[in-house]
Amino acid sequence: MQKLGQRGHWAAQALLILWTNYFMHFAFHKKDCQVSALSSPKTRYRARVAYDGAGFQGFQLQGGEKRTVQSELERALSQRFNQPVRVVAASRTDAGVHACEQAIHFDLNQDLDVEDLESVEYSMRKMLTQDVRLFRLQQAPALQMKSINGVERQLSWNVMYESTGKLYSYRLSLRGVMHPLDRHNRWHPDLPTHRLDPEELGRILQLYVGTHDFRAFAGAVDALERKLEQSVNTKRTVYSVDLVQESETYYRIDIHLKGALYKQVRNMIGSALDVWQGRVSEDHLLHLLSSSTCTRRDNRSKPAPPEGLTLERVYFNGDEF
């Protein structure tokens, strides 16, 4: 019992560290972007990144020897330019989660022309491991005038604040036995699929569309609020949720939203499948979405495993990035 208690303590501490890093990351860059980039000689660049999340402990730096996408990118870029390079991502995916068109930015104390950018992309193909790729590297848009607390400031383009939405997909295998080659990019839930109607799952998923308080679908919110001694905004907007049949037994759930909380998408999938199976009532799911007092403890559903989730694309206004 003592060992289990210690494990629970360390698990809670790990979740708290992740959420605190998540909050401080945004707070740091919010403060940073309020300073005029004219005071810095560095040039900002942006790029797309794709990765197979199976071999990573998530995107963000974890400390120690844990392998993350950010640590791989920063290692290669710092080595290539012989200077410390810090990478900022639009979305910080969990361990095991994949990405097709993640977006990042980073600063360099040198200007790169078109040929230089092509050369850097080629270098990254050689220097990065095969499970992560950097592409569409380009200089970020010029400084923009924005109003901060009523004061006009020139701000650098920021991959987090400029993104207008994200598209996630979750892949399911509903065949009797899942092919071993699918084990890293699909979830094979233990379901009596011969008695379940996929159209009913599609209807249940539509309940998420709109603006809701997703506190009951996010991990470690309470611990983060105790640490920060202030409330965290857990309202998020879901633009669309579509169930796509890829083959007779393969399905994909596409979720387009403004932004997601820690583990929100995986908890949405797990909760929807529980309602589909009759383990949780639809009324309870609606209650979780409509109540601002419900917490993760009120949601009995487990999050869907990470391997089925892919960040397909991060969207930005009116550009070809």
Side-chain angles (χ1 to χ4, degrees):
M1 291 297 293
Q2 184 177 2
K3 290 183 178 180
L4 289 174
Q6 291 176 345
R7 290 174 183 173
H9 170 74
W10 289 114
Q13 288 295 314
L15 284 173
L16 180 57
I17 290 171
L18 281 173
W19 255 108
T20 303
N21 287 343
Y22 179 86
F23 180 87
M24 294 305 294
H25 176 75
F26 277 81
F28 172 80
H29 287 285
K30 183 175 182 180
K31 179 180 178 181
D32 178 63
C33 77
Q34 291 175 2
V35 179
S36 170
L38 293 176
S39 62
S40 171
K42 292 191 174 183
T43 303
R44 179 155 294 181
Y45 297 90
R46 63 183 184 178
R48 293 287 185 172
V49 179
Y51 46 88
D52 177 351
F56 293 102
Q57 295 297 311
F59 184 92
Q60 74 179 62
L61 294 174
Q62 300 289 327
E65 300 298 321
K66 291 185 178 180
R67 183 171 183 257
T68 69
V69 181
Q70 184 179 358
S71 66
E72 286 293 318
L73 291 170
E74 292 185 355
R75 175 194 59 78
L77 288 168
S78 298
Q79 182 179 346
R80 172 64 174 76
F81 293 103
N82 195 29
Q83 61 180 279
V85 177
R86 175 54 55 93
V87 169
V88 179
S91 178
R92 297 191 295 170
T93 51
D94 299 333
V97 176
H98 318 292
C100 290
E101 290 197 43
Q102 167 74 282
I104 65 168
H105 80 241
F106 58 90
D107 297 334
L108 296 175
N109 56 10
Q110 64 188 87
D111 292 327
L112 304 176
D113 59 26
V114 175
E115 291 186 1
D116 292 331
L117 294 171
E118 293 176 353
S119 175
V120 172
E121 284 196 17
Y122 178 80
S123 298
M124 290 300 100
R125 290 197 293 272
K126 300 297 183 180
M127 298 173 69
L128 289 167
T129 54
Q130 292 186 345
D131 51 1
V132 56
R133 283 292 176 264
L134 182 149
F135 58 101
R136 214 172 297 158
L137 175 63
Q138 57 190 248
Q139 187 169 327
L143 298 174
Q144 305 172 34
M145 291 299 298
K146 292 191 176 182
S147 178
I148 304 295
N149 298 324
V151 179
E152 291 294 320
R153 296 180 183 272
Q154 278 191 316
L155 304 180
S156 298
W157 188 90
N158 188 293
V159 74
M160 294 184 298
Y161 298 114
E162 301 296 335
S163 66
T164 58
K166 301 177 179 70
L167 176 64
Y168 288 91
S169 66
Y170 198 94
R171 289 173 170 81
L172 297 167
S173 171
L174 301 183
R175 62 189 298 179
V177 178
M178 186 171 73
H179 197 289
L181 295 180
D182 293 325
R183 70 189 187 280
H184 291 311
N185 54 34
R186 287 188 188 273
W187 180 28
H188 184 239
D190 185 14
L191 301 175
T193 54
H194 61 285
R195 293 189 284 109
L196 296 173
D197 180 8
E199 290 188 4
E200 178 65 9
L201 174 59
R203 186 193 65 79
I204 294 168
L205 289 168
Q206 293 305 307
L207 300 176
Y208 290 124
V209 176
T211 301
H212 307 282
D213 193 328
F214 284 95
R215 180 175 292 267
F217 299 83
V221 176
D222 293 344
L224 177 65
E225 291 182 331
R226 288 194 298 270
K227 175 74 173 181
L228 299 176
E229 296 183 349
Q230 66 182 62
S231 62
V232 173
N233 181 13
T234 51
K235 285 188 176 182
R236 295 294 184 272
T237 298
V238 177
Y239 299 128
S240 64
V241 183
D242 297 305
L243 179 64
V244 180
Q245 185 171 3
E246 298 179 307
S247 69
E248 183 178 355
T249 56
Y250 284 178
Y251 288 83
R252 187 184 76 244
I253 300 171
D254 292 337
I255 302 178
H256 181 200
L257 38 65
K258 179 67 175 69
L261 299 162
Y262 176 54
K263 287 190 178 180
Q264 176 187 327
V265 175
R266 290 168 53 199
N267 279 314
M268 289 169 62
I269 301 298
S271 300
L273 263 66
D274 275 356
V275 174
W276 189 36
Q277 297 175 79
R279 295 177 178 175
V280 175
S281 72
E282 185 174 320
D283 287 341
H284 183 65
L285 178 61
L286 289 170
H287 174 65
L288 294 176
L289 290 170
S290 61
S291 173
S292 60
T293 60
C294 288
T295 67
R296 185 67 185 89
R297 290 187 295 273
D298 297 306
N299 186 351
R300 299 187 296 273
S301 300
K302 294 181 180 179
E307 60 267 18
L309 184 60
T310 299
L311 172 61
E312 297 287 350
R313 184 170 175 80
V314 180
Y315 295 104
F316 299 90
N317 270 331
D319 63 16
E320 299 178 357
F321 175 44

